[in-house]
Amino acid sequence: MKGGSGVGEVYVYKDQPNPDKLTEMLDQRGWHNLYAEYQCKIGLTHHNYFKKNAFSNEMQLETSLARQSMADKSSFFQTLKNFYKLDNDYIAQEHKLWSHRYFNYFEGHEDNYFADFRHDLQTLPFLRLFEEAKRDIPSFVNKLNPLELIVPKIVATKRMNRRMENQQGLFLFVPFIGDEYDQSVEIDYSEVERRAQLAIDILSLYNPQKPNEKEKYIIPAKYKRPILDELAKLGIDYSFIYPEDHAKKAEMIKNKYLGL
């Protein structure tokens, strides 16, 4: 939501991708064939790539990645980029999807097309990442689905305190871009920011009549105070949203009863 004392704007996100924006992101990375992977959900990939639990193996892997060294991150993302290119070519040449084989890929040896990727998963950067993930999830298995790692996600988290319980919020996880960890190229932060925004746009709701315009709800400034007053009558005010902020709660009580 945007807006302070002025007009408010509420933007909507969903846990299903906008096909045009997903295609645009993949096309810009040179992996246009990968869109087919997200259309097909079978076997272990029969789930929503774009909606996760904060304590899932997939999110644990991505949060553990943030704690790795720069060198390990660089090696990790180079391996991923090699995989995406390989899978993109695989779809074009073989007319098959890697996700079809996810069930037995890590145990099977009948197809050597992705043998280099399987080998890379046994190198130190990946093994260190897997061990980091096991610190929080001891049952974590040394497997990953690269198709998870380039898309944004709506993340539901455990209600760990009263604030989170009261807000009942969800989080938007923006995927790592990867190039910012490539030690062989000069970092273009404006390009990293642009790619991050493009990833966010995948889960933005767009106006059906205006495909290039995000759906939003306008709250005129003159209606903000009445809306807040109505919510307060229901017990939803600042002290409800931020129950641990005792200083603000005391200020609200003082203003209410002393008119200060």
Side-chain angles (χ1 to χ4, degrees), residues 8-197:
E9 297 180 357
V10 179
Y11 290 86
V12 183
Y13 296 89
K14 53 192 177 66
D15 58 18
Q16 292 294 331
N18 179 301
D20 294 336
K21 294 300 179 180
L22 178 56
T23 299
E24 181 182 353
M25 184 195 76
L26 295 172
D27 282 351
Q28 290 192 12
R29 304 296 293 272
W31 307 322
H32 54 279
N33 292 327
L34 289 190
Y35 180 73
E37 295 278 19
Y38 296 97
Q39 289 180 301
C40 181
K41 299 177 182 179
I42 65 170
L44 292 182
T45 63
H46 186 66
H47 62 270
N48 190 342
Y49 283 117
F50 304 89
K51 183 179 181 180
K52 297 293 176 187
N53 182 291
F55 298 94
S56 65
N57 282 358
E58 294 87 2
M59 292 310 304
Q60 185 60 49
L61 187 72
E62 295 198 55
T63 53
S64 296
L65 179 61
R67 300 193 288 267
Q68 302 305 292
S69 69
M70 186 65 75
D72 279 0
K73 290 175 183 174
S74 179
S75 177
F76 179 86
F77 283 111
Q78 186 57 55
T79 294
L80 288 185
K81 287 196 289 186
N82 291 342
F83 171 87
Y84 299 138
K85 182 180 184 308
L86 193 64
D87 192 18
N88 190 71
D89 295 341
Y90 180 70
I91 296 170
Q93 296 170 15
E94 304 294 328
H95 305 290
K96 299 178 182 178
L97 300 178
W98 182 82
S99 54
H100 281 169
R101 305 188 61 249
Y102 188 75
F103 246 145
N104 60 8
Y105 171 71
F106 294 98
E107 289 79 22
H109 302 283
E110 70 283 357
D111 188 343
N112 291 322
Y113 199 95
F114 293 93
D116 287 344
F117 176 65
R118 184 188 289 110
H119 173 268
D120 287 338
L121 293 182
Q122 304 303 316
T123 59
L124 283 177
F126 281 84
L127 294 177
R128 280 193 284 261
L129 175 62
F130 294 147
E131 287 303 311
E132 181 70 26
K134 289 177 183 177
R135 291 175 56 184
D136 296 317
I137 303 181
S139 61
F140 183 90
V141 179
N142 292 13
K143 297 180 181 179
L144 62 84
N145 183 348
L147 300 174
E148 296 270 5
L149 304 176
I150 54 174
V151 295
K153 303 165 185 69
I154 300 294
V155 182
T157 186
K158 184 177 179 181
R159 313 304 185 190
M160 302 177 67
N161 53 46
R162 282 188 60 201
R163 178 178 65 82
M164 297 176 72
E165 179 67 32
N166 290 355
Q167 292 182 9
Q168 298 183 30
L170 301 172
F171 295 88
L172 177 62
F173 185 91
V174 182
F176 294 97
I177 304 303
D179 289 348
E180 67 268 38
Y181 301 115
D182 190 337
Q183 298 177 315
S184 65
V185 300
E186 184 176 351
I187 300 174
D188 183 348
Y189 287 105
S190 62
E191 176 63 11
V192 171
E193 183 177 356
R194 187 191 69 80
R195 289 188 179 186
Q197 185 58 57

